[in-house]
Amino acid sequence: MILPEEIPDLHAMTDGEAEALCARLRSDLIDSISRTGGHLASNLGTVELTVALHRVFHLDRDRLVFDVGHQCYTHKILTGRSSAMSTLRTFGGIAGFPKPAESPCDAFIAGHASNSVSVALGMARSRTIKGEDYDVLALLGDGALSGGLSYEGLSDVGNSGERLIVILNDNGMSITKSVGGVAEHLARQRLRPQYLAFKKGYRRVMGAIPGGKAVYRVTHSLKRMVRSTLLPCSMFENMGFTYLGPVDGHDVRGLTNLLRYAKEFKTPVLLHIRTVKGKGYTPAEENPDLFHGVGPFSINTGEPLSRGGENFSSVFGETLCRLGEEEPTICAVTAAMRSGTGLEDFAQRFPSRFFDVGIAEGHAVSMVSGMAKQGVTPVLAVYSTFLQRTYDMLIHDMAIQKLHVVLAVDRAGLVGEDGETHHGVFDAAFLDTIPGITVLCPSSYAELRSMLRSAVLESKGPVALRYPRGGEGTYREDAGRAGTSLLREGRDITLVGYGILINQILSVAEGLNARGISAEVVKLNSITPIDMEPIILSLKKTGRLLVAEDVVAAGSVGQRLSSALLGAGVHLDGVALCSLGDQFGTHGSVSQLQKLHGLDAESLCRKALEVCGRG
Ligand SMILES: Cc1ncc(C[n+]2csc(CCOP(=O)(O)OP(=O)(O)O)c2C)c(N)n1
């Protein structure tokens, strides 16, 4: 990995030095991500752009707002973090996304798509109000442009007239191929270079032949008409931007000049650059979707060092295919996470019943609500963290009309290396506030299969199934349909858990048993509503309660249980509500994070002993 002292003065370096630096950075990225894993393809596509940005701007002072932020690795290397790249996304190491706490050059936290233009406009307005002088830039991909929030931002920027540069990194790809009308529009925009080349050539030829100049003058006056009829008029120009592009995003020299030019404008500029996702590493260029986010891999072959086996997402996808065969009204919907949510096979086998709506979770919820109202059964597979975007649509479009929508809430709980912007730790609380919804928590593949089947084929109103990233533990049973299941009988303490954490709870019960404490284990199959009766019965017997869950404390099952128990007049001699508290979790492996938050079996056992007066 290039050392900070090996990086030339970015503002003074020559074009040749910049090109050499790009080549070095590209091979360093491949080398280091092959060891740590991370977002390879997007970073390889933005090497020249990032170097050009650092040549023109002072990013400790000028503000560069990354969209999603998964493409910020070169920026991290150029801003003093090259030696920390070996710790990328690991516990205690640097984050995989921009993080102002790491460097003053990281202007804003990022992780979710399509907000960069709005954030950048806020910064530009702040600059204007305070009479300060610096540049503000937003960098977003064409995938991020499939999210509606981008347009709210672009529309407001155009209206504001603020000095701001939006860079559209157009590689034709989201994680998989970009979808939708805007992707089509951008594809047509790419015609422009040909048009401009034709125009130049036409003028030269006409200038050389007798009478040609007069013909050129007449046809030239038709230029605008030709542009707006034969060529797509840039929607960005219509929104109030000066549109520059499309240009080659791998020509560091050309990009540097263009950024210098864009910097001169006092009004909004949109720079449209064309890049190749995975540029410079053949396996990633050929399969940019596979190299969007990767684990460690062999540089020679591009093959992952360890093969992921079965996991909750794949079991969900395979079960939905089976249900899709049986029932022709079942549709699968994703917001740009087709492979991550396990829907590849469904998309292949039932293309007319599969919908990728782009990075547009709010739209997805409204759209599936429309589907459900007219009688099909939509299953929307969405990561818990991105479901946060849809709270209003869940209430207004889905729940008020009690529509039969199935939400497959993937990556629920701690997700690990992606860190604070991606942990799925809020859904348990916010879904519970929605009247009429059922929230099921499979703890094993067997339960996911049977819960999904009954949610799709038997339920009436909205149902969410929340399941974690990764695979099942030693608990492999199917506890059946009841709201709660008694997994173990005991006298001294009631241990309550759900989802994958039931594995920890069961080993805590074993550990307590070895110390002569008899623990009762109650597993919640549904966390909304909670089946209180068996819990009250258990607590009347044991008088002590421990709840363990990897969600934030506010609105957690533990809090809800406590207030219900208070209402029911159940007196307890000891209580421990174990959750993530009121913090945003950091990044690291899930087991490291569980330990950090006291949710590993050992810490939970200690807590249980305290509750039993044996601390
Ligand atoms: C709201 C939201 N939904 C989904 C994602 C998951 N996600 C991360 S990157 C990405 C694709 C982004 O594509 P693009 O903006 O074109 O950037 P590229 O990777 O092509 O450079 C998606 C869908 C996200 N980060 N935020």
Side-chain angles (χ1 to χ4, degrees), residues 39 41-43 45-46 67-71 97 110-115 139-147 149 168-176 178 275 277 288 292 335-338 358-361 382-383 385-387 389 421-422:
H39 288 99
S42 310
N43 281 289
T46 47
D67 205 282
V68 183
H70 60 311
Q71 70 292 61
F97 293 95
H112 288 200
S114 312
N115 65 343
L139 166 56
L140 78 164
D142 55 303
L145 215 52
S146 61
L149 182 55
L168 172 60
N169 171 29
D170 177 10
N171 53 26
M173 295 290 292
S174 186
I175 291 179
T176 43
S178 280
T275 60
K277 198 160 175 169
H292 177 85
M337 302 304 287
R338 163 192 176 131
I359 310 179
E361 292 83 3
V382 56
Y383 287 12
T385 187
F386 304 138
L387 188 66
R389 285 266 164 108
T421 52
H422 282 63

Side-chain angles (χ1 to χ4, degrees), residues 1-47:
M1 176 60 68
I2 193 164
L3 296 170
E5 56 272 24
E6 292 178 281
I7 300 172
D9 177 345
L10 293 160
H11 293 99
M13 73 181 155
T14 63
D15 290 334
E17 283 172 326
E19 280 162 6
L21 177 62
C22 290
R24 172 73 196 269
L25 289 166
R26 185 162 273 118
S27 72
D28 280 357
L29 281 172
I30 296 167
D31 184 54
S32 112
I33 301 172
S34 75
R35 297 166 205 270
T36 58
H39 288 99
L40 180 66
S42 310
N43 281 289
L44 291 179
T46 47
V47 171

Side-chain angles (χ1 to χ4, degrees), residues 584-606:
F584 295 101
T586 181
H587 51 274
S589 71
V590 170
S591 58
Q592 285 168 322
L593 300 179
Q594 284 174 344
K595 211 173 178 96
L596 179 74
H597 293 283
L599 292 171
D600 59 308
E602 209 177 302
S603 314
L604 289 171
C605 195
R606 266 199 306 275

